[in-house]
Amino acid sequence: MIYFSDVDVVLKLARCGFLPHLPELLGVPGDEISIQYLASLRARLTRPNKKLTNAAYQKHLAEFCTAHQVIGAAADITRQEELLQSGMDAGEAILFAEAEATGGIVVTGDKRALAHYAKHSTPAQRAKLKVVCWEHLLLRVHQLKGYDELKRGACEAIADDGLLSLAFSSGLATQEEHALEAIHSYLNGVKAHSGDILQTFDPDL
């Protein structure tokens, strides 16, 4: 299975220190996973004003880009163009078109792209792919690493993500129940328009 990752979710994971755990969070051994990402992510590595403030996390980002490969134009150019013409961001159009063409999984932190895709895709097109969203990944961190690790990483990136600022509104003093309730609430919002294409995990989230 090929995973197609947007820039948004990779940066969010990196800012939290979770990026090295991505294969585990997706439930795939690190030596078996195939991830393709947008070229704009690699471009950030050489731009001083785009570097992460945490040097170790910046290194994680560089290692991710080296370990995986950039996605070019989608195999189905017609479908890519169709999504572009509908108003979808160029990068997201490539990811969704290529995932449809290959039966892949889109890993995304962009809820607006998912809502847009819901309006501009048929049941037949949607049946060809799956999606792992940001909320899924946070819940997987909790499931696999525990609340303390989730809280630690989330609080490091709290200024860069609306969900994290809400879920961890009391910083490191945030209670587990409050944080999980907020994450599940956001996930339910995604399920409202994209529940049919969300990837399921064991146990289901």
Side-chain angles (χ1 to χ4, degrees):
M1 184 64 67
I2 303 176
Y3 292 81
F4 300 98
S5 182
D6 72 0
V7 173
D8 187 50
V9 77
V10 173
L11 291 176
K12 287 180 177 182
L13 288 167
R15 291 186 183 112
C16 292
F18 298 151
L19 189 55
H21 304 308
L22 182 55
E24 183 182 3
L25 300 181
L26 294 173
V28 183
D31 58 352
E32 296 179 13
I33 197 167
S34 176
I35 299 176
Q36 295 183 22
Y37 60 89
L38 296 171
S40 53
L41 178 65
R42 181 179 287 276
R44 295 179 67 97
L45 295 176
T46 57
R47 296 169 63 182
N49 64 327
K50 294 293 186 180
K51 288 188 176 181
L52 304 183
T53 55
N54 186 309
Y57 295 172
Q58 178 67 22
K59 183 180 178 184
H60 293 165
L61 191 60
E63 290 170 346
F64 176 89
C65 290
T66 299
H68 305 294
Q69 50 186 307
V70 173
I71 181 174
D76 188 343
I77 298 297
T78 300
R79 178 58 174 152
Q80 179 182 332
E81 185 62 25
E82 182 180 290
L83 289 170
L84 276 172
Q85 291 301 316
S86 75
M88 182 175 276
D89 174 82
E92 300 290 345
I94 293 173
L95 296 178
F96 281 95
E98 188 65 0
E100 284 180 1
T102 61
I105 297 176
V106 176
V107 184
T108 180
D110 191 337
K111 289 188 289 295
R112 288 177 299 178
L114 285 172
H116 186 96
Y117 181 70
K119 295 179 181 179
H120 299 279
S121 55
T122 66
Q125 289 166 335
R126 297 171 72 76
K128 296 176 180 178
L129 56 73
K130 287 292 183 182
V131 165
V132 174
C133 63
W134 173 228
E135 293 78 8
H136 269 147
L137 296 172
L138 292 174
L139 292 172
R140 288 285 285 172
V141 172
H142 177 261
Q143 182 184 57
L144 299 173
K145 304 295 182 180
Y147 181 64
D148 285 345
E149 177 64 10
L150 172 63
K151 179 174 62 174
R152 178 208 59 75
C155 287
E156 288 204 54
I158 200 167
D160 301 302
D161 182 68
L163 168 55
L164 295 182
S165 66
L166 177 65
F168 296 89
S169 54
S170 298
L172 293 174
T174 302
Q175 296 298 305
E176 184 174 7
E177 182 180 359
H178 170 83
L180 295 181
E181 182 179 346
I183 296 170
H184 276 289
S185 177
Y186 267 60
L187 179 58
N188 287 336
V190 176
K191 287 180 177 178
H193 52 70
S194 300
D196 59 317
I197 59 174
L198 291 181
Q199 177 76 317
T200 55
F201 294 94
D202 185 24
D204 191 14
L205 296 175

